Each structure stands twice: as structure tokens, then as C-alpha cells.
Amino acid sequence: MTDNTENTENAVGTKSTEPVERHSYDVVVIGAGGAGLRAAIEARHAGKRVAVISKSLFGKAHTVMAEGGAAAAMGNVNPKDNWQVHFRDTMRGGKFLNHFRMAELHAKEAPDRIWELETWGALFDRTKEGKISQRNFGGHEYPRLAHVGDRTGLELIRTLQQRVVALQQEDKASTGDYEANLRVFAETTIVRLLKDASGRIAGAVGYYRETGQFVVFEAPAVIMATGGIGRSYTVTSNSWEYTGDGHALALLAGAALVNMEFVQFHPTGMVWPPSVKGILVTESVRGDGGVLRNSEGKRFMFDYVPDVFRKQYAETEEEADRWYDDQENNRRPPELLPRDEVARSINSEVKAGRGTPNGGVFLDVSTRLPAEEIRRRLPSMYHQFKELADVDITAQPMEVGPTCHYVMGGIEVDPDTQGTVVPGLYAAGECSGGMHGSNRLGGNSLSDLLVFGRRAGLHAAEYIDGLGTAGKPAVAAADVDAALEEALAPLANADGENPYTLHHELQVTMNTLVGIIRKPEEVSEALTKLEEFKPRRTKVGAAGGRRFNPGWHVALDLRNMLIVSECVAKAALEREESRGGHTRDDHPAMSSKWRQINLICSLNEDGSGIDLKHQPIPTIRPDLLGLFEVSELQKYFTDEELTVLGDSAEPVAEAKPAGEAKPAAEPEVKSEPATESKAEAKSEPEAKPEAKTEPAPIPGQSNGEKAADTAADKVAEKSTEKSATAEAEEQTAQAEAEAQTEDAETAAEEK
Amino acid sequence: MSTATVQEHVETSASGKAGIEMMTITVRIRRYNPEVDAAPHWVDYQVTADPTARILDSLHKIKWEQDGSLTFRRSCAHGVCGSDAMRINGKNRLACKALVKDLNPTKPITVEPIQGLPVLKDLVVDMEPFFQAYRDVKPFLIAHGNEPTRERIQSQKDRDRFDDTTKCILCAACTTSCPVFWADGQYFGPAAIVNAHRFIFDSRDDGANERLEILNDREGVWRCRTTFNCTEACPRGIQITQAIAEVKRALITRRVI
């Protein structure tokens, strides 16, 4: 089979005089990180011709930056581990807002995906028996992360890249053409998805970054695997590709985004020098003994332990220090509190004027471990600080502060097939939503992209098989014309505004107004600014021609960043509770009524902005709910919701009076999900046995919250210290719920 | 741990960092736009730079504030993805790991594309020949026999044997610092050999002989003149020259250990 390219010929019948290259494939995968490559490999295994579109060079995707490992309950280190335990940990980490079916599939299939990766040649650290070693990680009950040193993501992407090369060499042997069935289009950016008259996916249009020439891909199935949105924030650990392309392209094509308000801020990013601000400092630093201090030299985290956590966290430095050697008889250091707690604490210290000269706090490992030990345990951090900041972490403390790290929200997909509401459109990895709920556990990202990348590839192939021979969707020439016109505008506007200026203003807006702590008036201000940015965006200009013109590329990326930012801000303003990666200053507690609600963003009718609506969260299957203690579920669910558990799992008696003991400071819930849902819930993607949702949500009293509060009070009695901040007190209910999650995210990196 | 030490650290850190002054530096960039330029040429840019910042930051500043068409590759911006290898002051480095103060900022800092690959625009080169050499050494596990249902067993010692060469980020800093590669673009180059080494010495792999034969080619390992340029250029600290020597030895002894 040869490539059916029709070079430089306007072969799609467009009116534009632009030469447009044209390719035809079965599946087009947009994104060449872990999820995209895994999807492409699966579709190719299923006999499909596949194109992979990569914004950067092949093998440079953001996945390479993941350090910690991939979570999979293989039980190599602790045989007690299994998928049920992993499922529980994942749901707790996401505060039960996860799509249960995705969490279930993820937990069940992750081990197979890791073993498969190993047989493809991936390097892993090993146990004494020579099996894949697994490391402890925050929020994971047992050692669970398959890893290779602190470069697991690099090895993962390299292995998938190697697999692609191997398949291409197989194809060369059988067809004479390396790229007969699997071709990577490096440094190529997609600007629009294309649909046929009936609304099915028909392809995508984009441009080669090198030449600036346009290219149309005709394909009945498109898989989005474009990663995250961090470049809309000033301080981020994300690489330049993370402009929310997949989120925006899918939305523009009619798909929905779910729960975009949940953005994970990692507590420890570099803050100095300014040029490297945001680059991640692995949580292993704290796991291996690193402590946080303010400018007065005080180990301040002891002042921020919410009452409910006191039973698990040390009260003195002495006890905390003993924990590293004897975890049975001592409690954890407060530096290992859940990530949102630590990020908020750092925020408070800096705001109180006890920050470092550069606006962070000190993270010190130099006085904690011998220099040699630091270099051995934290080689990449040692080099990162030495080379980038000229800081010797064996002799000096680091300066750190929160950094935008991961978006839990994303394209709404069917949990089994990864299909969206747009026939033929699939999504996997960070750009899809649901799997991680309101907060992702470290280690669950690499496993996520393997599990759901494979599923997306598999089901895209099945979808194509179902189309038969006659049913291939056709690209409409007018749509291509419109896409070209939109994309060419900045070039024709050489005197327009500098796109970098607008990008910078957008970043500052999101960072300062829709950051870690959200205040409704600030989020509203951000939305006003975003409206002002929209017309400015259409007037930016990019001088310098077509070839590798980065100003032009940014001008085009801006559309996507603005769309995604509007989704984040709108959803953040709507959700009046604090949960996982969404903290509302005016609603500091978690609400079990809001737990029943997914916030869904879609394009409004005239395409000028975002519509937001409530949709009931799918009801968790009773057998999966049964994996938890009822007393734990009561912290998240209403009693009515828990009645589905039946006799076997009736709410425990002692929790009832607790629920009445004290009125909960519960935020009001704006709407009854039940009524919203019927009218507005988007029809879920088809072909989904599990599309289940519409569980007729029960609007009820939220006793779970109250129970949590009281439980918290009990714990507080034991405590000899008072909570240092009012904020901590307010968060009691939430914190108690989190207590189960333990150190939800304590250890190392997580992507 | 003593409090006094910590305070000392705090003070050192505070005074040391707060005292940093911005400086004006000249970045001399090899520009080339094939749409308008007949040949590459040098252009000087004055930028204000923090001496502890990286040359990548200066390039960004120039692009954002002076010339939006300045083109270079970058991605992760801290030395993991391997996108921004450039020749800076005559030496191959990653722009995201080269600090201004280490580059004698009192004189113009020269930045040019890595050598030996065709320049597409400004600092961007055509990486295809580099990746072709990589693909030619069969950079994937070749294993005969039945696939295991779970993982293959490999001892930590066996896994450590080839640890060094798995660190490669395919940035091409080594290959494009090699005088043999400059003179002969057909030479596989150090990066491809490193990636062959990664599988040749992997205890799970059965393809060592295939790869050794490929590297026994006239454009293979025997072209290496052991100048150590590659080892010096590697931003990951891989002992590349040693890896090449191990492949040579394996070819002579036909033993992989």
C-alpha cells in the first residue's frame, strides 16, 4: 500500500487558493504522548491505517516529564494488593467524583498494560526476585508504582516510540513501505476537526509547523490525546504543548467537557530563579525527609494540621523525625499532608509575610540527610537545582511554591469506549475527563493513559468496522475553507497585536483570579477579562511568514487557551463547594449534594462562548460501593444515596445521631440535580452498555457531611492543640473525609 | 539537624538571591529564513538577563519582545525532552540547561544550530537523518520464544548493566558534536550506537547479533575515533565513548557481557 497523498493539490475541492495536502486514514490520533501512542498502536494492531499527529518532535511529548511511576496493582511487592484496593484508593483520591466505571477499568487493567509494556522492552527497577518493583506513593495503600528511577515517563514514551518503530519495520517487510499503516506526522498542529453532514467525524485539518502548509486528514475516527491546559497559567509545570488543544477542538466539534474546575496545583514547584518558576520539585523530597520552613526558620506545617488529621500526623518535630525510621510506632510528618492542604498552607505563610525573598517557602533536605544520601536518593532534583538555580540542595534549602500541574476535567467520554457524543470522536489521557474525579493520585496518570489509550484505539477500530464500506463520512469543502481562513487571519494581520502580550495577560488573569483559592468576585472578574480578550484574539498579528513562525502558532493556540480558560472559570464560579482541585474561599467545605453533580461545558449556540449545565453523576454500582465501609461513604454521600446498598450495608447506627449532633456548615446547592438532569443531560455517547448515568439522583439531606463534622469533633477532643487557623476548622468535614485518603499524594511525581 | 545551620542557610539564601542584579547581554544568533535569506547570517540582540537564568529564557525574551519569528525548538524546558540542543559559545548544550553566568556574558554569547544536519530555519535543523540512524539500529526489544503472561524476570544487576544508555533523550547533542559525523553524514553517530547498546546489553533481548552486524558496517562503530566529544556534549552525562567501546569489544569477542 502506498501513501495516497495528493501533494500540493487542492484535492478536497475547497474554494481557497491555498494548496492543501490531503491524506486518508482510518484513524487519526491527535497527540503523540503516552495516550496517543498507545491508542495508535492498538488501532494498528486492529488492522487499521493510523496517522499520529504530533505538535512537537516524535518522542518529546509531555509524558517524558513524569518521574514517579505508573500505578498498577500487580502485587509484586505486597501480594495483598489487588484491583479493588486500587479502585478504592482512586475514588478516595478523587473525593468520589470519579466516574466509577473508569476507575474500575483502570484498576483492573493497569497491571496488564504494565506487563505488556515490559514485554515490549520497557526498563523497570526490579524486586529481588527479578519482577517489576513497585514503590510506595501517596494515597496508594500498598507499594504500587512500577518505575524506573525517577524517569518513568521518559522510559514509557520511549518504549511506545520503539514499538511504533518496530511496527513500521514489520510493515516495511510486508509492504515495502515503513509508513504504510502507521505514520507519525511530527511538528504538525490540528486547527479544526471536520464532520460530515450528519454530524459524524470526517477528519481534521491542520498545518505543518515547518512549512506552514495546510494538510487535511480524512478519517472516520479521530482520537484526541492532547494532554492538559497548564500553559494558560503563569506558573505551571507543564510544557509548551499544553494549550488545551484537544479540549477546545472537541468542544468546537460538539463534544462536552466535564468538571473543568478541577485543576491540580502541586504544592512544590520551583520559584527561583524566575525563569524556572513552576518547574516541579518532586514530592519524594518530602517523602525522604525534606521539611518546609518559613522565613523565620519555623517548620510551619505543624501549625496547619487540621484537627481531624491529628491522629495520623505527628505533633512534634521529634516524633515526625522518628517516623522515617519507624513508621509503625510514630505518626507522619505534617509535610506529608494531602497536596491541597500543603499548597494552601504555603499560600497562607507567604500571604502572612513569612515567605522567602522570592515568594515561596523553604524546602530543606540539606540539614536532614548526608549530602551523599541526597545525591543518591534525589539525583534529578540535585541536578535540577544545581544546573537551573545554582542551588546545591545538599547545602542549601530550596525555595518552592504551588504550581499548576494537571487538569482533572476534560472531554466527556463513555467510560468503556472513550467515545464522545460526536460519532467517531474519542479521547484518552489527560484531555479526557472523569477518571480522576476532583483530584488525581500520583502514579495514576501513566496507568490512565495506557489503559484508556488502548481502549480508545480498540473502540475507534470497532467503530470503523461498524461503518461498513459505504458509510465513510465525507469532508465538506466549505468547512476546510473556513478553517483555512481562520488560521490564516493572523498572517494577514501583520500589524496586529503581539500574540505573546495577550497570552501573557491571559496567564496572569488565570493565575491570579482562578488559581488555587477561588473567590467568586475574582472569578467573575476573570470572566469579564476573558470576554475582553476574545475580540483582541481575533486581531492579533504574526509577522514573519509561514515557515516555522512561532508567533503565528501562538496566535492560533490562543483560541484554544481562551476556550479552556472560560470553561475553567465558569465551572469554578458555579461549583459552590471545596473539593480536591477546587477550593472556594466562600464555600470551604465539601458538599454531598454537589458530589451528585457533574458540571458540563459545551459550545453555545452561536459559538461565541460556553454554556454550562448540571448533570447528575452516574450512580456507582452497589457492588463497587460495597467495597467501602459505610461509615466512610457517609462522609461523601447522602443517606438516601446509600440506601441502594440495601440491608447488607445499611448506614451504621452510630453515625445517625452523629449526623444530628451539629448543624453542618454546608454550602447551599443551587439546583436540584434531578430536575436539571432530565431536561439537560446530554445524551451520552452511544454504544455504551455503561452509559448508565441517570441514576435518578436523590435530592436529600446531606447527613454525610454532618456525620463527618462530628467525627471530626471527636478527633479534636483528643488533640491538645487548637487548630492554628480558622480556615482549617472550616475545612474539618472535608479534611476528615480526606483522612481516609491519608497522604493522598505524598510521594513523588505523578504524571 | 540544628536550627543554627538552617538559619545560616536561610540567610545565605536570602542575601545571595535578593542581591542578584540583572545585566544586559548580547546574544548573537545565527538566523536563517529560507523564504527570504540567501544564506545564514549573525544577528545581535541586546537583552536584559538574570545571570542565573538560562539561555533559553533570553531566546524567549527575544522572541516575545523583539522578533516573534525567531524559531527554535523547546518543550519541557528542564532537560528531559531533549528538544533544544544548540551550539552555544561553540559547544553543544541544551538551551534550557545553559546558564547565562556560565557563558561569559561580558562578550556576545553565540547561539547557532547544531552542526551536521540541514538547517530548516534559524536554530531548527532537520532531525530526520538523526532519527533514521536511530531507527536503523532496531531500537526495540527483539525476543524469541513465547511471550510471558506477566513480566519477564530480570535481576536488578542485569537491569543495571545497561542503565546508563537508557538515559538518552535523543537530543542529538552527541551526534552533532562528532567530527566524524560532520564529515560523513552516513555515519550512524554516537546516539544511534548508544541506543543499540541499550538493547545489546539488555538480558531480555535476543537481537544482539543482528544489531552488532548492523554496527559492523563501514558506517558503524569502527568510524568512531574516540574523541570523547560526544561524552562531553551529553546533557545526561551518559558515558557514550565507553558505550561505543563496549560495542566494539562485543564485536571483537562476540560476547555480550
Side-chain angles (χ1 to χ4, degrees):
Chain A
M1 201 182 309
T2 54
D3 188 10
N4 50 353
T5 307
E6 298 185 29
N7 261 319
T8 63
E9 196 179 313
N10 200 333
V12 274
T14 63
K15 288 179 184 150
S16 167
T17 53
E18 270 293 311
V20 177
E21 192 175 300
R22 175 173 157 265
H23 297 272
S24 185
Y25 284 91
D26 297 322
V27 180
V28 168
V29 181
I30 304 176
L37 293 182
R38 188 61 191 80
I41 289 165
E42 196 63 21
R44 159 64 181 74
H45 283 170
K48 302 302 170 208
R49 291 185 67 247
V50 183
V52 180
I53 316 296
S54 174
K55 213 166 156 182
S56 45
L57 287 173
F58 188 28
K60 308 294 186 195
H62 191 60
T63 307
V64 299
M65 291 161 80
E67 295 173 353
M74 296 183 289
N76 282 358
V77 172
N78 189 327
K80 282 192 277 188
D81 201 11
N82 57 44
W83 77 261
Q84 288 94 337
V85 184
H86 191 182
F87 170 80
R88 275 205 303 259
D89 291 344
T90 300
M91 294 299 289
R92 286 171 183 154
K95 313 277 191 295
F96 284 81
L97 208 68
N98 320 55
H99 196 306
F100 70 91
R101 176 63 174 163
M102 291 179 84
E104 178 193 11
L105 288 170
H106 169 259
K108 281 180 173 169
E109 295 180 3
D112 283 338
R113 297 288 77 74
I114 297 297
W115 287 319
E116 170 184 79
L117 205 65
E118 198 279 341
T119 63
W120 291 349
L123 177 76
F124 286 104
D125 286 343
R126 298 285 174 158
T127 64
K128 284 194 190 97
E129 304 82 47
K131 295 193 223 172
I132 295 171
S133 181
Q134 299 186 265
R135 71 164 39 134
N136 269 310
F137 226 63
H140 295 282
E141 189 168 339
Y142 299 115
R144 188 175 287 147
L145 269 66
H147 60 277
V148 45
D150 52 10
R151 56 177 198 280
T152 314
L154 177 64
E155 183 62 19
L156 187 146
I157 203 107
R158 198 64 79 231
T159 303
L160 294 174
Q161 185 178 3
Q162 288 157 0
R163 181 73 188 155
V164 167
V165 171
L167 288 169
Q168 287 177 328
Q169 298 198 2
E170 275 179 25
D171 289 341
K172 166 75 171 175
S174 60
T175 70
D177 179 4
Y178 285 110
E179 296 175 329
N181 297 315
L182 179 54
R183 178 169 171 190
V184 178
F185 291 81
E187 300 193 309
T188 303
T189 303
I190 297 298
V191 295
R192 281 277 178 174
L193 300 182
L194 300 168
K195 297 198 289 185
D196 74 354
S198 68
R200 300 178 301 170
I201 280 292
V205 55
Y207 63 91
Y208 295 126
R209 301 175 80 85
E210 181 194 336
T211 58
Q213 192 186 38
F214 288 100
V215 54
V216 167
F217 297 93
E218 294 175 306
V222 169
I223 299 172
M224 309 305 296
T226 55
I229 66 162
R231 297 315 290 191
S232 295
Y233 285 81
T234 322
V235 181
T236 178
S237 61
N238 291 173
S239 65
W240 73 273
E241 295 95 334
Y242 270 32
T243 49
D245 293 7
H247 291 82
L249 290 169
L251 190 99
L252 290 169
L257 306 186
V258 58
N259 291 341
M260 289 299 289
E261 66 275 29
F262 295 107
V263 179
Q264 186 169 74
F265 287 85
H266 194 292
T268 61
M270 292 174 82
V271 297
W272 180 268
S275 57
V276 296
K277 194 166 180 168
I279 290 180
L280 213 61
V281 179
T282 173
E283 288 184 29
S284 316
V285 174
R286 280 174 282 145
D288 285 351
V291 294
L292 293 163
R293 295 183 204 274
N294 62 20
S295 60
E296 296 162 0
K298 182 175 180 185
R299 208 169 146 183
F300 61 85
M301 281 307 298
F302 286 97
D303 296 341
Y304 290 92
V305 184
D307 287 344
V308 292
F309 279 127
R310 289 201 181 278
K311 63 178 171 184
Q312 287 127 346
Y313 287 83
E315 288 170 41
T316 64
E317 295 196 21
E318 291 70 28
E319 182 183 2
D321 288 348
R322 287 195 302 267
W323 178 83
Y324 295 102
D325 296 320
D326 179 7
Q327 299 178 6
E328 291 299 313
N329 299 306
N330 295 285
R331 293 172 294 177
R332 315 166 65 83
E335 280 83 2
L336 300 181
L337 276 161
R339 188 173 301 159
D340 48 349
E341 299 289 348
V342 180
R344 271 195 297 270
S345 306
I346 293 174
N347 220 41
S348 300
E349 283 296 302
V350 175
K351 277 193 173 166
R354 293 188 294 272
T356 64
N358 299 299
V361 294
F362 292 112
L363 171 58
D364 183 27
V365 71
S366 67
T367 59
R368 311 277 301 168
L369 293 172
E372 197 43 53
E373 190 69 4
I374 294 170
R375 277 191 292 267
R376 191 182 66 77
R377 289 203 206 179
L378 303 163
S380 69
M381 285 304 112
Y382 174 76
H383 288 291
Q384 181 172 313
F385 274 87
K386 193 81 192 138
E387 288 162 9
L388 300 182
D390 198 26
V391 165
D392 179 355
I393 67 169
T394 67
Q396 295 167 274
M398 299 161 250
E399 282 183 76
V400 297
T403 180
C404 178
H405 187 54
Y406 188 90
V407 60
M408 274 69 69
I411 302 165
E412 189 187 28
V413 292
D414 173 77
D416 284 73
T417 66
Q418 299 295 107
T420 69
V421 290
V422 180
L425 182 62
Y426 297 78
E430 189 173 350
C431 74
S432 67
M435 161 67 203
H436 304 289
S438 67
N439 181 41
R440 180 179 60 81
L441 286 187
N444 270 0
S445 190
L446 291 184
S447 42
D448 166 14
L449 54 82
L450 291 172
V451 167
F452 294 109
R454 172 185 161 276
R455 283 188 159 266
L458 188 67
H459 289 281
E462 281 182 8
Y463 166 79
I464 294 164
D465 291 339
L467 289 176
T469 44
K472 200 174 166 189
V475 167
D479 292 344
V480 177
D481 276 332
L484 300 195
E485 190 184 345
E486 181 187 31
L488 286 167
L491 288 171
N493 194 19
D495 297 327
E497 182 178 359
N498 181 347
Y500 295 107
T501 308
L502 185 54
H503 183 201
H504 182 67
E505 284 182 40
L506 170 67
Q507 289 179 314
V508 171
T509 299
M510 291 303 286
N511 216 77
T512 54
L513 302 177
V514 201
I516 307 171
I517 313 284
R518 281 101 185 242
K519 299 179 178 175
E521 61 277 12
E522 290 185 347
V523 179
S524 299
E525 189 189 336
L527 282 164
T528 307
K529 289 197 173 192
L530 289 173
E531 285 305 315
E532 291 163 14
F533 293 158
K534 284 181 189 175
R536 280 174 64 189
R537 196 271 299 175
T538 61
K539 296 191 190 82
V540 296
R546 296 279 281 273
R547 292 184 69 86
F548 262 128
N549 181 348
W552 181 40
H553 304 162
V554 169
L556 298 179
D557 293 343
L558 271 172
R559 180 198 64 195
N560 301 336
M561 288 188 273
L562 283 173
I563 288 173
V564 166
S565 296
E566 185 177 346
C567 292
V568 173
K570 280 205 164 143
L573 188 59
E574 182 74 5
R575 184 175 289 275
E576 295 184 321
E577 65 161 349
S578 292
R579 179 188 299 272
H582 172 64
T583 303
R584 274 286 289 263
D585 191 56
D586 53 338
H587 295 277
M590 187 161 61
S591 146
S592 39
K593 280 200 171 180
W594 273 104
R595 196 212 64 82
Q596 301 174 330
I597 297 166
N598 281 335
L599 291 179
I600 304 293
C601 289
S602 54
L603 195 66
N604 68 11
E605 216 155 273
D606 67 0
S608 64
I610 302 303
D611 280 343
L612 184 74
K613 70 185 175 203
H614 293 204
Q615 183 172 290
I617 191 167
T619 301
I620 302 179
R621 280 207 323 270
D623 62 307
L624 294 174
L625 270 188
L627 295 172
F628 297 88
E629 296 288 331
V630 173
S631 59
E632 179 179 5
L633 295 176
Q634 285 173 326
K635 293 163 192 159
Y636 300 95
F637 292 79
T638 62
D639 284 350
E640 284 77 0
E641 286 176 288
L642 295 179
T643 54
V644 300
L645 288 174
D647 296 342
S648 62
E650 211 159 46
V652 286
E654 68 263 29
K656 293 273 188 174
E660 288 148 21
K662 178 187 167 191
E666 186 173 41
E668 25 168 301
V669 176
K670 274 187 158 177
S671 57
E672 294 298 328
T675 47
E676 296 271 345
S677 66
K678 294 303 172 198
E680 299 189 64
K682 277 213 158 170
S683 60
E684 290 257 352
E686 48 180 33
K688 46 175 2 143
E690 320 292 339
K692 68 226 83 235
T693 48
E694 299 38 308
I698 310 107
Q701 265 79 11
S702 170
N703 283 339
E705 282 285 303
K706 296 173 190 170
D709 253 6
T710 311
D713 290 344
K714 282 183 193 161
V715 178
E717 282 169 24
K718 292 182 193 166
S719 166
T720 56
E721 282 182 52
K722 270 189 141 185
S723 169
T725 64
E727 188 187 22
E729 218 160 68
E730 286 175 0
Q731 289 162 357
T732 312
Q734 177 181 6
E736 163 64 15
E738 281 170 351
Q740 297 300 323
T741 315
E742 300 251 274
D743 41 328
E745 301 93 52
T746 42
E749 248 43 305
E750 49 281 330
K751 287 236 159 160
Chain B
M1 108 207 50
S2 80
T3 312
T5 318
V6 175
Q7 299 238 318
E8 242 174 56
H9 286 153
V10 171
E11 279 157 26
T12 311
S13 173
S15 58
K17 286 172 182 178
I20 279 174
E21 281 175 24
M22 302 292 273
M23 58 193 304
T24 301
I25 62 169
T26 302
V27 184
R28 179 166 293 170
I29 303 176
R30 189 84 166 157
R31 297 293 308 263
Y32 174 60
N33 180 354
E35 283 180 318
V36 292
D37 299 328
H41 56 284
W42 294 99
V43 179
D44 283 5
Y45 299 89
Q46 309 281 324
V47 279
T48 311
D50 168 352
T52 67
R54 307 153 304 165
I55 207 69
L56 178 66
D57 303 307
S58 292
L59 293 175
H60 272 141
K61 228 165 142 50
I62 294 166
K63 182 170 82 171
W64 294 337
E65 296 166 10
Q66 300 185 34
D67 186 345
S69 71
L70 175 64
T71 306
F72 50 91
R73 290 191 178 106
R74 82 277 178 260
S75 186
C76 80
H78 64 287
V80 186
C81 75
S83 294
D84 64 349
M86 301 171 191
R87 192 170 159 94
I88 300 168
N89 277 359
K91 187 170 177 268
N92 280 3
R93 320 169 203 244
L94 298 181
C96 62
K97 290 179 85 177
L99 303 188
V100 169
K101 66 181 178 55
D102 298 333
L103 294 166
N104 187 13
T106 58
K107 290 183 179 173
I109 295 168
T110 61
V111 181
E112 56 192 310
I114 44 178
Q115 296 186 324
L117 293 167
V119 178
L120 296 175
K121 188 187 172 199
D122 295 339
L123 302 171
V124 174
V125 299
D126 180 3
M127 295 282 280
E128 188 46 33
F130 172 81
F131 285 123
Q132 186 58 52
Y134 166 71
R135 291 192 292 263
D136 284 346
V137 300
K138 296 183 184 282
F140 42 83
L141 194 77
I142 298 173
H144 306 309
N146 294 331
E147 293 236 322
T149 50
R150 295 188 161 194
E151 70 266 59
R152 291 189 171 80
I153 299 302
Q154 181 173 48
S155 72
Q156 183 66 27
K157 184 164 167 272
D158 285 345
R159 167 246 176 279
D160 287 341
R161 172 65 188 88
F162 60 106
D163 184 75
D164 200 38
T165 46
T166 65
K167 292 179 191 158
C168 176
I169 54 175
L170 296 173
C171 68
C174 60
T175 296
T176 61
S177 72
C178 173
V180 177
F181 180 77
W182 293 339
D184 172 11
Q186 305 266 310
Y187 171 46
F188 277 91
I193 301 171
V194 159
N195 281 279
H197 179 285
R198 178 250 174 273
F199 287 99
I200 290 169
F201 291 90
D202 186 336
S203 60
R204 301 168 297 173
D205 186 86
D206 300 322
N209 283 334
E210 265 176 79
R211 291 192 193 85
L212 286 171
E213 271 323 305
I214 292 168
L215 293 173
N216 203 16
D217 182 270
R218 70 166 67 206
E219 303 291 355
V221 285
W222 306 114
R223 300 297 311 267
C224 169
R225 289 290 175 268
T226 325
T227 60
F228 283 92
N229 279 21
C230 51
T231 305
E232 277 172 32
C234 180
R236 303 282 285 179
I238 300 171
Q239 297 302 306
I240 301 176
T241 313
Q242 184 186 326
I244 296 174
E246 287 174 0
V247 172
K248 287 178 179 174
R249 197 168 61 228
L251 267 169
I252 292 166
T253 62
R254 289 292 168 174
R255 286 181 65 218
V256 176
I257 36 170

